[in-house]
Amino acid sequence: MITVRPQPAPVPVPGLGRNLSCVRVPLRQSVVAAAGSNRPSLSAACSSLSSRKFSFTSCVTQHISSFNVPALVLAAVLTLTSLPCDASSVLANKPTFATDYATVVRKREGKSKSNLPSAREAEALLEINEELFTTEALEGMSRIVHYAKFVESLKDTEEGPGCEHCTDNRLLLERAWQVVANEFYDPAGRFSQAKWADQLLTTFKAAKGGCLRNRHETYKAAEDMMASLGDQYSQFLPPSQYRRAIRHPQPAEREYLAAQSTGTGVHVGKHVEGGWLVDAAMAESPAEEAGIVRGDRIIEINGYAVDSLNAHEMSELQRGPLGSTVALTIVPLRSPQDPQTVFLERRPLPQPPLKQALIGLADGPTISYLRLHYFSSEGTRAFIDAINMAEYWGVDGYVIDLRNNPGGVFEEAIAIANLLLQGGQEIAQTVRTATFVDNTWKAGALSREVFPTQPGQLTKKPVIVLTNSSTASASEVLAGALHGNNRAEIVGEKTFGKGVVQYYFPMTDGSGIKLTIAKYLTPGPFDITQSGGLHPDHVCNDFPHGDRVTPENDTCIQDALRLIGQTP
């Protein structure tokens, strides 16, 4: 699930992140306690993380010059290291620290050509009171000192001929490094702030002469740095890719994307020996109609073996003139001993976010069938209209089809769950550590800043949710919220198991970072990431058959009708 975080006003935010076990609570409590009595607007502006605009540290840093915040807290924000878990005991020692660190801050203002502390600033922080830092943060700060000294040694080189853009390129990479240090959440628990502190020095030492002289080198370094996280959902995006990712393409890019939207609807995943795995079949695409599912292995396209092809070549071979046919030879996941060739028509693939139909049997219930292709604000509005219309028609229940729905905007999944649950029922939680819940969403009590329109529960009719192995991310939020509150039964297959949240972070040159920043728990609490997905109440392995939405063509819809008919 994805959210875009706007770029705050440029403010130096040096130092390490807050991914240690108790960083956020002490930092938030300390800043609010220090500034709240005299400057309540800081507390109002920054104490809640329910807004999707800024993280707490970004918010405080943006407003820091306007508030009389003790220097101890300012230091924690500027270095983004953790205050000890017992923040009150640290604040009790703030007078000496405030005097000493205020001197460091004054020396810094307007003089730095780095987003990180200088060697002298970092050393000054360590000399003031090492007890202010956790063990890992202390080790990381020590490594930052080494990096800062390396940067200082490059001063003449960066100001010399042929290196006119070296400083800007370094600042861009530092900014990308900072975003990870500030915001990254590793559900596997492998991320180390201390090791991440080494990443910049390692990257620049590997560059020719210790400098990045052009954007190509800088972007490659940023891509490699992000790849070192080992997180498949986090990546650096050059400007053109970033614009497309957040759906703000330039005119020429829109024309290009329109040309790419003709095809078979097969999303190729990773390369394996003997072919390429299918990651998903796009909803209502030729691939979905043919029954292609996640985990099928493509071994040939039009008779050509694909084992030696790259992902771009795989996509190109599936494109072609509108109405033409492509032959895919596939080893099905469910019957690997029986390869088969399917012929798919190349068709336009754009689709609305929601499809609606009335389905019923002659002697059975009538349901409103709602197929969500992805989650967006447009989809939420369409869902509200569809529920209101179905209630007017007097349907007996609802089938929400989330098969092959890859997700979308996290907040929109929350908004749709809010339409189906009673006030006070929990929708989801997001967490950044094993012990601290970052936010809890409850029906009827959502932030007005993020959710300005909240119609409340629109129906109490029975709900069945259809899922398969490509039901992922925001789809799992909605399915988990309804299932965890006994509001819906799940029919289909086990879901994908992507229980993590990504945000887009823009860089200063138009590039950006997509980064995992938290994981979510559905009511229970149920950890979808750890469990590998939501399990259905009733197993069904059928698949959507394109436009043909009838019980006769889809046994999962048959099961849903039967279950709704059994509901008192």
Side-chain angles (χ1 to χ4, degrees), residues 318-392:
Q318 294 181 69
R319 298 189 184 110
L322 186 65
S324 62
T325 301
V326 59
L328 300 185
T329 302
I330 290 176
V331 177
L333 174 66
R334 296 178 182 133
S335 54
Q337 305 305 318
D338 184 26
Q340 55 186 266
T341 299
V342 295
F343 295 88
L344 306 178
E345 179 188 4
R346 295 181 175 102
R347 296 206 307 252
L349 299 177
Q351 56 193 336
L354 179 73
K355 177 178 181 177
Q356 180 184 20
L358 282 181
I359 301 176
L361 300 176
D363 56 349
T366 298
I367 65 165
S368 176
Y369 172 86
L370 303 172
R371 184 168 193 196
L372 277 163
H373 295 137
Y374 52 88
F375 288 86
S376 65
S377 57
E378 180 186 358
T380 302
R381 290 192 294 270
F383 193 90
I384 292 172
D385 292 341
I387 294 288
N388 287 333
M389 183 61 70
E391 289 295 295
Y392 175 78

Side-chain angles (χ1 to χ4, degrees), residues 452-463:
T453 302
Q454 299 181 34
Q457 187 177 19
L458 297 183
T459 181
K460 295 183 179 181
K461 302 285 180 60
V463 177

Side-chain angles (χ1 to χ4, degrees), residues 280-332:
M282 183 180 290
E284 302 204 13
S285 67
E288 183 184 76
E289 289 180 14
I292 294 174
V293 299
R294 175 181 173 82
D296 287 352
R297 178 162 53 93
I298 302 172
I299 58 176
E300 291 183 358
I301 298 180
N302 289 333
Y304 294 98
V306 302
D307 191 41
S308 61
L309 302 181
N310 60 36
H312 176 71
E313 292 167 334
M314 286 288 294
S315 298
E316 285 296 314
L317 282 176
Q318 294 181 69
R319 298 189 184 110
L322 186 65
S324 62
T325 301
V326 59
L328 300 185
T329 302
I330 290 176
V331 177

Side-chain angles (χ1 to χ4, degrees), residues 32 34-44 66-68:
V32 173
S37 58
N38 297 323
R39 301 284 187 175
S41 55
L42 177 63
S43 175
S66 306
F67 299 97
N68 182 26

